[in-house]
Amino acid sequence: MRKYILADNQELTAHALLNLLKKDEKNVVYRATDKAGLLQLLKEHEEAVVLLDYTLFDFTDADSLLIASERFSMATWILISEDLSKGFLRKMVYSSHVFSVVFKDEPLKSIRDAIQYASEGRRYVSQRTTEQILAQQHEEEAPAVLTSTEVEIVKAIAQGKTTKEIASERYSSIHTINTHRKNIFRKLGINTAHEALKYALRAGWIDPSEFYI
């Protein structure tokens, strides 16, 4: 019997992964919807394989994820997301050997291989991940510059507003706001709303006294 913890709040992907894992009747799959729930499940099932979409969970940064992996050293992890920054990928791959990495839009075989490797206690790093890590930086990147619209969206995120709420306030579609979020994350080289907020605070784009982290 092999235990898995599925930590992915994107319902379509979670359903597909669940069906993939359940093809082996010996597998037992648990669901986590936030960081606290995930850590609680790891306390109960220390040797589980964790399938995590980091971008959809409430880890503050890469270091907090590394700390969790050190705390539960018997677990193995598969990071499976739509996109992750190069800096994050480098840190996770170079800092620990317990993290496999695969992207959601890679061939199904890659995802199957990642699960198989993790179940055997081995690490799997997909081709796309390797290419991103090895991609050379030809010149030092210029500081990220956000548009006025993007700055306003960062402020809204800092206030805890959802994508739907931001779209409604700006008379925009949810798709448009999601596109802005992706552009913000790409420019800043980050992966989550919390990281975006911290970056904005450090850059002085927003007043720290107005926000609570």
Side-chain angles (χ1 to χ4, degrees):
M1 180 181 69
R2 189 62 178 168
K3 296 181 179 180
Y4 294 86
I5 300 174
L6 183 54
D8 188 336
N9 290 326
Q10 191 176 70
E11 284 304 316
L12 185 60
T13 305
H15 180 71
L17 290 172
L18 182 61
N19 286 338
L20 188 60
L21 294 171
K22 284 293 188 178
K23 285 186 175 181
D24 186 339
E25 296 180 356
K26 296 180 181 179
N27 290 340
V28 178
V29 185
Y30 304 93
R31 290 290 304 273
T33 58
D34 56 24
K35 178 182 175 182
L38 172 58
L39 298 183
Q40 181 58 43
L41 283 171
L42 280 169
K43 289 180 183 178
E44 301 168 4
H45 313 286
E46 295 183 346
E47 296 183 0
V49 176
V50 180
L51 286 82
L52 171 68
D53 187 335
Y54 169 79
T55 65
L56 299 179
F57 264 57
D58 49 344
F59 286 94
T60 55
D61 51 28
D63 288 332
S64 66
L65 183 52
L66 287 168
I67 290 170
S69 71
E70 292 170 0
R71 178 181 175 187
F72 300 100
S73 59
M74 298 176 68
T76 51
W77 302 68
I78 302 173
L79 299 179
I80 177 167
S81 299
E82 292 183 354
D83 195 20
L84 291 167
S85 68
K86 291 179 182 178
F88 176 84
L89 290 173
R90 289 193 189 98
K91 187 159 193 173
M92 300 312 297
V93 171
Y94 293 155
S95 298
S96 174
H97 292 283
V98 301
F99 288 97
S100 295
V101 186
V102 64
F103 290 94
K104 290 181 177 181
D105 60 354
E106 292 192 85
L108 182 58
K109 183 181 183 302
S110 295
I111 297 174
R112 285 175 173 160
D113 287 347
I115 293 173
Q116 181 63 37
Y117 274 52
S119 69
E120 297 171 357
R122 297 187 291 158
R123 179 166 74 167
Y124 178 88
V125 178
S126 73
Q127 180 178 348
R128 178 179 164 190
T129 303
T130 302
E131 290 172 352
Q132 289 203 30
I133 291 174
L134 296 179
Q136 295 182 356
Q137 297 293 329
H138 297 291
E139 58 184 30
E140 186 176 348
E141 294 183 359
V145 178
L146 298 190
T147 67
S148 59
T149 295
E150 289 168 341
V151 171
E152 290 303 315
I153 290 174
V154 170
K155 291 180 179 180
I157 292 172
Q159 293 167 346
K161 295 178 181 178
T162 66
T163 299
K164 183 177 181 180
E165 289 171 336
I166 297 171
S168 177
E169 289 181 356
R170 299 188 64 82
Y171 302 101
S172 299
S173 69
I174 292 176
H175 173 75
T176 297
I177 300 303
N178 278 331
T179 299
H180 281 305
R181 286 170 62 98
K182 289 180 180 180
N183 288 337
I184 291 168
F185 290 0
R186 174 182 54 79
K187 287 182 178 181
L188 301 185
I190 50 86
N191 304 284
T192 66
H194 193 99
E195 291 176 358
L197 174 55
K198 291 202 301 183
Y199 195 108
L201 286 167
R202 290 196 301 268
W205 293 331
I206 54 180
D207 184 352
S209 66
E210 298 178 10
F211 303 92
Y212 173 76
I213 303 179

